């Protein structure tokens, strides 16, 4: 899968994405990451990429021409690509969206700065605005990196043992169960006996119950879409009662 990230700060993006799991995916040719500096498409002597907003107001707006020229240059090389703008106004990013994006062959991510980009670029070039959360960052780069990481790790072969991307938070509509490793006791806290039992059926049952209880405690709204057995729904009802006591 080809990721193209268009940004005023390519060095900000390069470091983390070329490290660790995503970096290994790039080395192994499973991921292709190209960074484009929007400022390289500013035509004036001062390489200006921002200007004052029409109508007044604080801050600056990203100019149309450099951004449009940069996006169209990349789109010409990526005819299959979906073009995403990271923005607080966007559709909420989720594991479900990550899975959908992982099915693409090419993804272009545009990173806004200042107070945002000229709306005409959005109208002419952007397929989808995507938000990683209801907060405002200094720019779209961190959101772009989150998307590349969450999508890249789902690509076949990137995670090493592919199954570890299957059983995790949100994959079955629930949050992930607690994890433990050696030592069996630490600061007086013991690993739950069932995990040392070798009884895989009991371990799976315990993990499922823990995932449900974790979800009740932190994200009860996710339960509406979870596939629960009648017994699990009873567990949820009791846990919700406890939560409200
Ligand atoms: N939240 C977010 N989700 O995706 N991006 C986000 C963001 O906060 N981006 C920074 C803003 C800053 C002003 C210009 C446009 C981008």
């Amino acid at each position: 899968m080809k990721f193209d990230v268009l940004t005023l700060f390519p060095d900000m993006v390069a470091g983390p994405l070329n490290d660790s799991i995503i970096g290994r995916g790039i080395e192994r040719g499973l991921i292709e990451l190209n960074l484009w500096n929007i400022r390289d498409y500013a035509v004036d002597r001062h390489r200006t990429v921002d200007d004052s907003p029409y109508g007044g107001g604080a801050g600056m707006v990203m100019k149309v021409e450099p951004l449009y020229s940069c996006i169209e240059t990349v789109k010409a090389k990526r005819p299959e690509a979906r073009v995403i703008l990271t923005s607080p106004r966007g559709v909420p990013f989720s594991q479900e969206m990550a899975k959908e994006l992982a099915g693409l062959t090419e993804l272009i991510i545009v990173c806004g700065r200042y107070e945002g980009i000229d709306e005409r670029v959005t109208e002419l070039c952007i397929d989808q605005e995507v938000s990683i959360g209801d907060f405002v960052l200094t720019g779209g780069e961190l959101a772009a990196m989150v998307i590349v990481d969450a999508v890249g790790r789902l690509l076949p072969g990137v995670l090493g043992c592919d199954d570890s991307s299957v059983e995790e938070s949100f994959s079955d509509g629930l949050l992930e169960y607690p994890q433990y490793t050696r030592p069996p006791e630490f600061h007086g806290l013991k690993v739950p006996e069932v995990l040392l039992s070798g009884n895989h059926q009991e371990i799976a049952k315990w993990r499922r119950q823990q995932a449900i209880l974790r979800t009740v405690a932190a994200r009860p709204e996710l339960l509406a879409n979870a596939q629960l057995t009648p017994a699990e729904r009873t567990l949820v009802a009791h846990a919700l009662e406890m939560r409200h006591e």
Side-chain angles (χ1 to χ4, degrees), residues 10 47 51 59 75 93 111 128 142-143 166-167 173 179 184 194 223 239:
R47 291 169 37 102
D51 200 345
K75 280 173 74 172
F93 185 59
C111 304
Q128 186 178 29
L142 289 175
V166 173
E167 200 179 297
Q179 298 278 10
V194 65
L223 292 165

Side-chain angles (χ1 to χ4, degrees), residues 63-114:
K63 283 177 66 64
V64 179
E65 297 91 340
L67 190 49
Y68 179 83
S69 170
C70 181
I71 296 173
E72 290 307 306
T73 299
V74 180
K75 280 173 74 172
K77 298 173 183 295
R78 305 280 188 265
E80 308 291 320
R82 182 181 307 182
V83 184
I84 277 177
L85 169 71
T86 54
S87 156
R89 296 187 330 185
V91 174
F93 185 59
S94 64
Q95 192 64 14
E96 194 175 332
M97 187 187 290
K99 288 177 187 169
E100 191 237 335
L101 296 177
L104 302 176
T105 54
E106 300 172 342
L107 182 62
I108 295 172
I109 308 178
V110 177
C111 304
R113 276 272 159 174
Y114 308 106

Side-chain angles (χ1 to χ4, degrees), residues 4 16 50 83 112 121 125 135 145 161 176 180 185 224 228:
D4 291 275
D50 63 319
V83 184
V121 174
C125 310
F135 41 78
M145 293 155 73
C161 49
E176 191 163 331
Y180 296 85
E185 179 169 345
L228 301 177

Side-chain angles (χ1 to χ4, degrees), residues 27 61 70 72 83 98 104 112 132 149 187 194 220 222 232 234 237:
E27 283 167 14
V61 174
C70 181
E72 290 307 306
V83 184
L104 302 176
I132 63 165
D149 188 283
H187 283 232
V194 65
L222 294 178
E232 288 171 342
T234 303

Side-chain angles (χ1 to χ4, degrees), residues 1-18:
M1 181 169 177
K2 292 186 173 71
F3 293 91
D4 291 275
V5 179
L6 284 54
T7 167
L8 288 172
F9 300 97
D11 292 346
M12 178 178 171
V13 178
L17 290 183
N18 281 298

Side-chain angles (χ1 to χ4, degrees), residues 1-3 16-33 148-149 151-160:
M1 181 169 177
K2 292 186 173 71
F3 293 91
L17 290 183
N18 281 298
D19 205 345
S20 186
I21 290 173
I22 300 299
R24 203 169 57 227
I26 293 170
E27 283 167 14
R28 293 165 57 205
L30 302 169
I31 295 171
E32 183 181 325
L33 176 67
V148 172
D149 188 283
V151 175
R153 67 185 291 280
L154 295 177
L155 299 175
V158 171
L159 274 187

